[in-house]
Amino acid sequence: MNRPNSHLRDASPRRVLVLAMLVGVLAAGCATTGNRGSSLLPTQYKVATGPFVIHSNSPVEADAPAVRALGDLKDDLAARLDCREDAGAEPIEVYVLDDRGAFLHLLRFYFPELPPRRAFFMAQGDRRIVYTYLGPRLEEDLRHEATHALLRGRFGDVPLWLDEGLAEYFEAGPSDQADRQARLARIAEDRKAGWNPNMARLESLTDIHQMTPRDYRESWAWVDLLLGDPRSGPTILVDHLERGRGAIEGEPLSRLLAARGADASRLLAHLEEKPTRTIAQKPDAVAADREPVVRLQDRRPDPPWTGAQPLRGGLFRRLAGLFGL
């Protein structure tokens, strides 16, 4: 649930050229290292589902859980946020590596600046790419990262806190009450520690490194409040996102909601409402030390990874050096 993310957004023309070359080599799956003797990206099989194309080294059935998860996510976002893909949009590329070892190998070779993690999303121009691996939380990770991809296709560059809040909200699905109760339990602990919500502060965050686990929980909570009010919440949220896509300077969402009575006190009242009875708790849903998932969309992480050294120096660094970046 609480994922410190990093970003890599469009920058100078030279930097864009380097990134375009990087994405092209990754998608081609032509790089090899050491004795692996095969592409670092899975290329043997692919299956299309809606706006997604899933690449893997083992067959993926059309009704596999991962395929259903992406289909359900597309339907959830369409129903809740009118989030639909343009007919001419490029498909969202999803690369599912064989295992954790293969995924970490990919990270060390191409993205040495990133710490170990389970999945990440990268956007460059019109291309939207999700990387992950076959693991016990595959469907959850796919839904989280694919939410970023779908939102970007529909609304462009979504504000940082809201992008993460929506990805947190949709990663388990709006109907997963066990997941919701687990999140509420963590927020109750925050309240006991003296935390109070403040959307205006969230709106001021511009770098992912500024966001704490508590900020992720608060971002989820505001989304839960808005989408939990079918009368006006979704409309307000969609209107706000569409204004952002059109680069129209409008009233901040925090001020707009406060004028409608949806301020911090209303959020706290919403969070303290009698919970829905659940049959089973989602396993490990409230663990504080979960391995992060990342959206690599705006800029390279500031602190370097102090783990294993990247093989051959890392492609990004080699290309950046070539162009003098």
Side-chain angles (χ1 to χ4, degrees):
M1 282 182 282
N2 309 313
R3 297 178 166 81
N5 291 359
S6 60
H7 300 249
L8 188 58
R9 203 172 275 171
D10 297 338
S12 66
R14 288 194 305 169
R15 190 178 179 90
V16 169
L17 176 60
V18 170
L19 291 170
M21 291 177 65
L22 169 65
V23 173
V25 173
L26 277 170
C30 63
T32 62
T33 61
N35 297 321
R36 290 182 62 83
S38 60
S39 9
L40 295 184
L41 284 181
T43 57
Q44 293 184 336
Y45 298 92
K46 69 178 181 180
V47 59
T49 176
F52 305 98
V53 176
I54 305 172
H55 300 264
S56 64
N57 282 332
S58 56
V60 177
E61 301 297 333
D63 62 346
V67 176
R68 293 200 306 269
L70 290 174
D72 291 343
L73 173 69
K74 177 182 65 70
D75 293 343
D76 286 341
L77 265 70
R80 297 296 186 99
L81 295 175
D82 190 30
C83 188
R84 305 172 192 277
E85 288 285 292
D86 292 337
E90 291 290 325
I92 300 168
E93 303 165 55
V94 179
Y95 291 94
V96 182
L97 279 79
D98 297 344
D99 52 36
R100 176 183 168 85
F103 184 76
L104 293 181
H105 190 71
L106 173 75
L107 283 179
R108 286 194 294 267
F109 187 74
Y110 286 115
F111 305 102
E113 62 275 8
L114 296 181
R117 57 196 68 247
R118 296 200 318 263
F120 67 96
F121 164 65
M122 184 172 73
Q124 178 60 36
D126 293 332
R127 291 193 69 176
R128 294 166 292 167
I129 311 173
V130 172
Y131 300 98
T132 188
Y133 66 91
L134 290 169
R137 294 196 179 112
L138 175 60
E139 289 75 34
E140 174 186 324
D141 294 342
L142 283 175
R143 285 184 61 109
H144 184 103
E145 298 309 315
T147 296
H148 290 313
L150 290 168
L151 289 173
R152 187 175 181 85
R154 170 69 170 84
F155 300 110
D157 192 17
V158 177
L160 172 63
W161 76 271
L162 186 53
D163 198 9
E164 293 304 330
L166 286 164
E168 293 284 307
Y169 182 84
F170 284 103
E171 73 173 27
S175 62
D176 191 329
Q177 287 298 315
D179 179 81
R180 183 173 186 273
Q181 296 310 317
R183 294 174 187 271
L184 291 175
R186 291 301 306 278
I187 291 176
E189 295 174 4
D190 293 336
R191 288 288 293 146
K192 291 178 181 178
W195 166 81
N196 283 296
N198 185 340
M199 184 187 288
R201 188 187 64 79
L202 288 178
E203 290 173 327
S204 72
L205 303 179
T206 58
D207 190 299
I208 201 67
H209 296 96
Q210 297 174 296
M211 290 191 69
T212 67
R214 188 173 285 175
D215 293 331
Y216 282 89
R217 291 193 286 273
E218 181 180 349
S219 298
W220 170 87
W222 284 109
V223 171
D224 188 68
L225 172 65
L226 284 166
L227 295 185
D229 178 8
R231 295 169 297 175
S232 60
T235 301
I236 294 172
L237 189 51
V238 170
D239 287 347
H240 176 71
L241 289 168
E242 288 183 334
R243 285 198 305 271
R245 171 140 203 166
I248 301 174
E249 285 293 334
E251 191 174 11
L253 183 58
S254 57
R255 193 180 306 163
L256 177 64
L257 292 180
R260 295 169 175 261
D263 54 10
S265 61
R266 175 67 189 94
L267 177 62
L268 291 176
H270 169 75
L271 296 174
E272 292 168 1
E273 289 174 356
K274 186 176 180 181
T276 304
R277 183 175 180 271
T278 58
I279 298 175
Q281 179 75 10
K282 186 177 181 180
D284 196 31
V286 298
D289 57 348
R290 293 173 59 188
E291 190 176 354
V293 176
V294 67
R295 178 184 64 162
L296 180 66
Q297 188 173 335
D298 284 358
R299 58 186 64 86
R300 293 173 64 185
D302 296 327
W305 181 27
T306 57
Q309 293 300 311
L311 298 174
R312 297 170 57 191
L315 180 61
F316 186 93
R317 290 177 178 173
R318 297 199 303 279
L319 289 175
L322 178 64
F323 285 86
L325 299 183

